[in-house]
Amino acid sequence: AICTPATHSHQDDMASTGKKLCVGYCVCCCCVILAIVLFVVIVAATFETPTVDVDKVQVANMKVSPTAVTMFVNITIHIANPNNWPIEGSVETLLAKIYSLDKDASDGMGSKYYMGDATLPSPVPIETQSNTSFVVVAAVEVPYSAETAALIERINGDCGVLQQLGGAATTKLQIVLASVEATVAGVDVDAAFDIPFATEVPCQQGGGDGATAAPGSGGGAAATTAAPGTAAPGTTAPGTTAAPGTTGAGGLLGGLSGGLV
């Protein structure tokens, strides 16, 4: 084949066009990467650690005898998320372990006896700039055995018939937030931890008001959401005072979302 000047010119034009397309593609990619980096930087700069609190613990339908203890334990959990998009998501599962403490012990704990688990039966959405409260419930059944004898003796001593007749009987529980599966900004997260809250609750053998968990001491779910700076509905029991700004569990949700930014 004979290369004429026109052929060379055509090839040069094609090469020039290819270079321009390549340069344009590279510039476009750099712009996209820069936009992503700037977005991550902005999100990280404005991120505020969400807080997770145990607002209230209620004991209902308690039945006490020398051979068994049964009750329902209702735990109200509050999550405050002050962040904007994309720090939103949902709590898919949550596990809270329930223990009995010795309210008369000098250290406020004494021997700790495991009672059962409270779990979340359905996911709870966590919106941006929201306060969300939900209840996890445990059906506690403790039959008498050599291993449970001390626990049953304690509950009878705190909440037995004689104690109920003598006035407002109470017992002390510890709630330990143990694990959570969640989605944060579209990312699945599975975390395990050990965050304790201790509280003294009325025995309330027929149901009734609960008590507020002490901050930093020591799971059917109905979720409610309120705007920041307002109390989420149902988070304070009548005649009790909400625990002040508990931040001991902030790492629960903060750790989940912080890893994304």
Side-chain angles (χ1 to χ4, degrees):
I2 300 175
C3 293
T4 65
T7 303
H8 281 296
S9 177
H10 179 67
Q11 291 175 343
D12 291 343
D13 289 343
M14 290 182 62
S16 177
T17 301
K19 289 179 181 179
K20 290 178 181 179
L21 289 174
C22 182
V23 170
Y25 177 77
C26 291
V27 170
C28 183
C29 287
C30 289
C31 290
V32 171
I33 293 172
L34 179 60
I36 293 173
V37 170
L38 287 175
F39 174 74
V40 171
V41 169
I42 291 171
V43 171
T46 59
F47 175 78
E48 297 180 54
T49 302
T51 59
V52 181
D53 308 322
V54 174
D55 271 357
K56 184 174 62 178
V57 180
Q58 290 178 299
V59 171
N61 299 323
M62 179 185 286
K63 296 180 181 179
V64 180
S65 76
T67 58
V69 169
T70 62
M71 70 184 79
F72 287 99
V73 180
N74 305 319
I75 304 167
T76 301
I77 296 176
H78 174 255
I79 297 178
N81 179 22
N83 294 284
N84 294 313
W85 185 88
I87 306 302
E88 62 182 353
S90 64
V91 178
E92 302 296 322
T93 67
L94 186 145
L95 173 64
K97 294 184 174 296
I98 304 169
Y99 297 89
S100 170
L101 303 180
D102 183 354
K103 65 179 182 179
D104 297 321
S106 58
D107 63 354
M109 292 186 61
S111 298
K112 184 167 73 172
Y113 301 124
Y114 172 73
M115 298 180 67
D117 293 340
T119 57
L120 188 65
S122 59
V124 175
I126 306 298
E127 306 293 342
T128 58
Q129 295 188 348
S130 65
N131 289 287
T132 303
S133 291
F134 53 94
V135 178
V136 290
V137 181
V140 176
E141 297 183 13
V142 184
Y144 184 88
S145 70
E147 291 76 18
T148 63
L151 169 59
I152 291 177
E153 181 181 0
R154 175 184 292 167
I155 301 298
N156 272 273
D158 289 344
C159 301
V161 175
L162 293 178
Q163 286 70 27
Q164 291 286 330
L165 292 175
T170 63
T171 192
K172 192 169 186 178
L173 302 179
Q174 183 185 67
I175 310 301
V176 178
L177 301 182
S179 66
V180 66
E181 293 179 0
T183 59
V184 181
V187 178
D188 293 334
V189 181
D190 187 353
F193 31 76
D194 185 3
I195 303 173
F197 296 84
T199 181
E200 197 167 319
V201 299
C203 295
Q204 298 293 350
Q205 292 185 322
D209 296 340
T212 302
S217 51
T224 57
T225 302
T230 63
T235 58
T236 304
T240 65
T241 303
T246 4
T247 57
L252 188 155
L253 192 61
L256 301 182
S257 50
L260 301 175
V261 296

